[in-house]
Amino acid sequence: MRGSEFAELRAFVAVVDRQSFVRAAESLGIAPSSLSQTIRSLETRLGVRLLARTTRSVAPTEAGARLHARFRAAMIEMDAAVLDVLDRRQEAAGTVRLHAPRLAVQTFVEPLLGEFNARHPDVVLDISVSEVSLDIVREGLDVGMRLGESIDRDMVAVRLGKPFRTLVVASPEYVQRHGAPKSPADLRDHRCINWRQPGTEGLYKWEFFKNGQWFSVAVEGPLITSHKDLALTAALQGVGIAFWADYRVQPFIEQGRLMALLERWCAPHPGWFLYYPRQNSGAPAVKAFVDFLREAWSPTRGPNGKGRATRTDTSGKGPRRGA
């Protein structure tokens, strides 16, 4: 295979992976017009149409899907072989593009930025903080952080910290004025602080566990927010009842500023994971970042405990969006 033919096939795989000529061109470091010409040359050389294109979307044809499935696997193996050689002859260097929710970055990355930089001064961390779920392969990102139950099964996942519970909490002043709910159903009669996941229309339904089954409750109240710190602040001020991760509210419970309610209905779920596509595992910079966090956060201690983490299955049942 000539070099130009390999370049055409690599460009084709990039377009199918990202479902966009613009994003694929960015990942390859070329102009979209040049990429379009490359794909036309490949289709002309093979004598078959590989992509179905409209003004808004691009998708493989049946022939294109077959070619992508076979060549992408071969390309991943070739890239891994080259990266393995590079990994053995040089220190980690390059850019790691991370996408993660604010809480995950705040908990697992911020406390260790200085230590990581001192250990790997030639690695650039490009961190996008967003609550919106993305396809990191399609967006040209290297790694992401999510709650374990929402990670695709074809990703490599590394646990960060241990499983945690989402607790129902209210200030003592609120409970004195309005009483405490006796069951999750009673929350419908209380002033609750609602959360909307950014990028979605509906409100998050609070999730509980009883008799081996998860169930959800829609709540109402005087405040709706997409920022969970604001929900916590409002609960501390007696605005209403909030629902948030135990390790975030526990200090205020110990101080007597919040009360935990309905605890027997609040079960653990898998917790936070770092995840990445298998083909990225050999890149020196990505490997350095993954190994660093793997060593830093132990699943046997809390999200703020340090130790050694291990690769973990994320298929355990649990609520889909709480935290």
Side-chain angles (χ1 to χ4, degrees), residues 215-289:
F215 64 96
S216 60
V217 176
V219 299
E220 297 181 354
L223 178 64
I224 300 171
T225 179
S226 62
H227 197 310
K228 288 203 168 183
D229 279 342
L230 181 59
L232 179 58
T233 299
L236 288 166
Q237 295 178 12
V239 172
I241 299 176
F243 193 55
W244 211 15
D246 56 4
Y247 62 89
R248 296 292 290 169
V249 300
Q250 192 60 42
F252 300 104
I253 294 174
E254 293 172 357
Q255 295 167 15
R257 299 178 61 190
L258 290 176
M259 299 173 60
L261 311 171
L262 306 178
E263 285 192 86
R264 64 192 180 101
W265 279 277
C266 299
H269 57 91
W272 290 102
F273 287 77
L274 180 75
Y275 69 99
Y276 54 94
R278 194 171 303 277
Q279 62 266 30
N280 285 359
S281 60
V286 173
K287 186 175 185 302
F289 183 67

Side-chain angles (χ1 to χ4, degrees), residues 52 70 88 128 153 180 194 219 287 315 321:
R70 297 193 65 176
R88 292 174 186 275
S128 298
R153 292 183 179 275
N194 260 306
V219 299
K287 186 175 185 302
S315 60
R321 294 166 57 194

Side-chain angles (χ1 to χ4, degrees), residues 98-113 127-130 145 272:
L98 167 69
H99 176 270
R102 181 203 53 79
L103 181 58
V105 172
Q106 181 185 55
T107 303
F108 300 107
V109 180
E110 282 186 21
L112 301 174
L113 284 173
I127 302 174
S128 298
V129 181
S130 172
M145 290 180 179
W272 290 102

